[in-house]
Amino acid sequence: MMKLPPLSFMLAALAALLSSVAKAADAPFKPSSPFGFGWGILYGYQGEPAPEFMSDVRSLGAGCGKVYLYWQQIEPEPGQFDWSALDAFVDQLNSPEEGVIMLFSSSRWAAEHPSTMLPASPAKDLEAYYTFVHETVKHCGGRVRYWQNDIEPNSPAYWSGTKEQYAAQLRVFYRAVKDADPDAQVILGGYDGLFVPPGTTIGGSGPIPPVPGQEHGLAFFEYLLQEAGDAFDLFDLRLYLSPYLIRPRVAYIRQRMRALGCEQPIICGEYGGPGFFDFAENARYAPLATATLQNMAQPDVNGSPRVSQETSRAIAQMYDDMASLAPQTQMFMQGCPPELEAKFRRIQARNLVMQNVFALSAGIKQSFYWQLSPVPNERDDMMMLMFGKFNLLQRAGDSLQRTLSADAFARMTKVLAGVQSVERVPLADNPSIYLFAVDRGVRGPAYVVWDFREPYSGEDAPPVPCAWPLDWKTVHARDALGEAVAAAITDGVVRLPVGVTPVYLTPDAQ
């Protein structure tokens, strides 16, 4: 007869095990870098290649890359797996923390609503879904730390099921990932973040009105937090819209998780800009966006995205009339005048710096810029008009080259490398100035500062004088576009001109 160990020993061992599990669960999320990139909506699928791009990610100063893959892409037939795109990405990673893989539940044979891309759909059989996710994670053999399920499910263009079906499938996703790799982390499918918390103000204005229809997205994720709050490790909040709305939105989601007893670290799975509808001049084209999203939500009989010929004709007409359109519209269009193209990239450069500074100051530990790759859509596609210039790499013949905004991204990551925390420093005598103190650990402190202005015309106004106490012996100032800024310290006060372009201040040359 086998002799059992004493009960006290077994209880002690169990307590030690539970303690280690609790410590692992409570371990803070500390990515190697707060900066990351999403490649694009297609990677090795639908005729798009699966290129090596992590070297570009690293050269831009980021530490993590993300790809979007589809059930139909990986398992085109039951039990038949195509690992080519998955392996092409995973083989580029130097560590598991460098990779995020997002899996769309899009399938011609396995989903309730057949689709090759979008929208994703509830699985016909959750066991088949479990097998797909489990086999995919297992195939990677622990080489990928972060896994994400279907993104932006509050939008019918991305998820064709109910919130109840999403919650049920999230639980299966979580179980499949953890069974295949206990060290893996599950990211709750990204909330598009298109909402404004009540009472939010910007720049001394009155309360910002809510985003139309935002109550649906808020209710969708409130349900997920209530019913599946234990089925994710990280919460993905997308941070489009104005950078000045980042902090109140992050605070709102954090408060809701805390109130429901499921608080987890928040990451930003997508951000970018400027947004087409950030400019009032483009509001007249909102019906084209609505029609496009409605078509995305209803793929054709082959499961492929529908294309609205009416919308395409309307956008083609915009190109015919480009010269007469508002410059805020023209700059989003392919082949716009060079001066507007350059202006767009300058606005984009400022925007991405502001977004990262606000996100870091809100406690976001990792953010993924959307997107790195050129956008594959056709010119007369509304998605191309809205997002066609978000890419930081652009085609130059058979190769890719950096845009001006990509250089700005690399400049930002060089200054902010080693960041531990970011805090706003209010200047009572000049509330329009946004000044942030950056703790870079052993690299020492830095500051980022800019003046609150309208994004399009703000660069046309002259800079304003700015000053605050600073005990450095020397100061070096350069803005987000790489231009040197005249800054000097006199009697313990730093003085410099500040405009709409963020300026970096460091005690030595960077």
Side-chain angles (χ1 to χ4, degrees):
M1 180 177 178
M2 182 176 65
K3 184 177 180 181
L4 295 175
L7 179 59
S8 59
F9 177 87
M10 295 174 64
L11 292 175
L14 178 60
L17 175 62
L18 292 175
S19 176
S20 66
V21 170
K23 289 178 181 177
D26 293 339
F29 173 59
K30 291 184 178 180
S32 58
S33 167
F35 310 111
F37 281 103
W39 171 251
I41 196 68
L42 295 172
Y43 185 76
Y45 189 45
Q46 300 278 312
E48 289 296 313
E52 189 283 320
F53 70 92
M54 285 302 296
S55 58
D56 293 306
V57 170
R58 298 181 192 107
S59 71
L60 289 166
C64 196
K66 178 173 64 171
V67 294
Y68 288 176
L69 304 176
Y70 300 79
W71 192 348
Q72 182 67 32
Q73 176 182 8
I74 294 175
E75 192 181 6
E77 299 291 341
Q80 298 179 12
F81 294 91
D82 180 351
W83 304 119
S84 56
L86 180 66
D87 289 343
F89 173 62
V90 176
D91 288 347
Q92 302 173 46
L93 305 179
N94 291 336
S95 72
E97 287 71 29
E98 277 196 334
V100 177
I101 292 176
M102 210 298 302
L103 298 177
F104 278 112
S105 176
S106 303
S107 171
R108 284 178 175 169
W109 63 268
E112 283 190 1
H113 305 285
S115 173
T116 56
M117 285 182 55
L118 296 173
S121 172
K124 292 179 181 176
D125 178 0
L126 287 177
E127 282 303 311
Y129 181 69
Y130 173 94
T131 299
F132 156 64
V133 175
H134 185 271
E135 290 300 309
T136 303
V137 177
K138 186 176 74 171
H139 178 80
C140 293
R143 293 182 294 163
V144 176
R145 179 73 66 233
Y146 305 109
W147 296 86
Q148 186 169 21
N149 64 321
D150 303 279
I151 61 168
E152 304 187 22
N154 54 296
S155 168
Y158 288 86
W159 175 252
S160 63
T162 65
K163 61 183 183 294
E164 292 82 6
Q165 289 172 308
Y166 189 90
Q169 193 154 299
L170 169 61
R171 287 192 171 280
V172 174
F173 183 88
Y174 185 85
R175 179 165 56 89
V177 170
K178 297 293 185 175
D179 286 351
D181 181 1
D183 293 327
Q185 298 279 289
V186 171
I187 303 171
L188 175 58
Y191 182 12
D192 60 23
L194 302 182
F195 72 97
V196 178
T200 299
T201 62
I202 297 178
S205 66
I208 306 298
V211 175
Q214 71 174 36
E215 64 279 359
H216 171 73
L218 290 170
F220 195 106
F221 275 87
E222 183 84 2
Y223 178 85
L224 294 183
L225 295 178
Q226 288 175 335
E227 300 301 324
D230 57 348
F232 67 97
D233 304 299
L234 302 167
F235 187 99
D236 173 9
L237 174 64
R238 276 86 203 283
L239 295 176
Y240 294 112
L241 303 180
S242 167
Y244 298 91
L245 293 173
I246 287 176
R247 287 171 59 91
R249 285 182 290 162
V250 172
Y252 180 90
I253 294 298
R254 186 173 287 126
Q255 185 275 329
R256 293 313 305 148
M257 284 196 290
R258 187 173 297 147
L260 296 169
C262 59
E263 185 173 6
Q264 296 284 20
I266 300 174
I267 67 168
C268 170
E270 286 185 18
Y271 71 97
F276 184 73
F277 292 109
D278 291 349
F279 300 90
E281 293 79 2
N282 296 332
R284 58 187 289 200
Y285 305 109
L288 297 179
T290 300
T292 296
L293 293 174
Q294 288 173 344
N295 275 284
M296 287 176 61
Q298 299 173 346
D300 64 22
V301 293
N302 296 314
S304 300
R306 291 181 184 272
V307 177
S308 167
Q309 296 302 320
E310 183 179 353
T311 298
S312 296
R313 285 193 295 270
I315 296 174
Q317 187 63 51
M318 290 174 64
Y319 275 93
D320 290 343
D321 301 335
M322 184 193 295
S324 66
L325 301 181
Q328 293 89 340
T329 304
Q330 291 187 51
M331 70 179 184
F332 284 87
M333 301 172 74
Q334 304 300 309
C336 71
E339 63 274 16
L340 287 178
E341 178 72 25
K343 189 178 186 75
F344 179 92
R345 293 298 180 182
R346 291 194 300 274
I347 295 172
Q348 186 176 61
R350 300 182 189 110
N351 195 72
L352 69 85
V353 173
M354 293 177 186
Q355 286 173 313
N356 275 281
V357 170
F358 275 120
L360 288 165
S361 73
I364 298 291
K365 299 299 184 183
Q366 192 163 52
S367 298
F368 292 83
Y369 183 86
W370 184 262
Q371 63 186 54
L372 191 58
S373 71
V375 178
N377 300 62
E378 298 293 331
R379 187 200 73 169
D380 297 342
D381 185 333
M382 188 62 191
M383 299 300 281
M384 187 67 166
L385 184 61
M386 293 192 295
F387 302 109
K389 294 186 179 181
F390 274 32
N391 56 296
L392 294 194
L393 298 181
Q394 60 189 5
R395 299 196 188 282
D398 294 332
S399 61
L400 297 176
Q401 66 180 19
R402 290 183 180 183
T403 60
L404 177 149
S405 34
D407 291 334
F409 189 98
R411 200 171 290 119
M412 173 191 71
T413 59
K414 183 177 180 181
V415 173
L416 298 182
V419 58
Q420 305 296 306
S421 64
V422 175
E423 294 186 8
R424 187 178 179 193
V425 181
L427 298 179
D429 58 342
N430 199 340
S432 72
I433 294 292
Y434 279 76
L435 172 64
F436 293 86
V438 182
D439 176 0
R440 301 184 298 172
V442 296
R443 292 191 67 214
Y447 285 89
V448 187
V449 61
W450 68 84
D451 188 33
F452 175 81
R453 298 182 183 184
E454 196 278 328
Y456 185 84
S457 62
E459 67 180 13
D460 300 328
V464 297
C466 182
W468 69 90
L470 189 63
D471 60 0
W472 297 353
K473 293 182 179 179
T474 60
V475 64
H476 296 264
R478 189 169 295 274
D479 71 18
L481 301 176
E483 298 296 323
V485 176
I489 296 177
T490 306
D491 299 327
V493 175
V494 63
R495 293 178 171 82
L496 72 158
V498 174
V500 70
T501 303
V503 177
Y504 306 116
L505 286 86
T506 56
D508 50 18
Q510 299 292 298

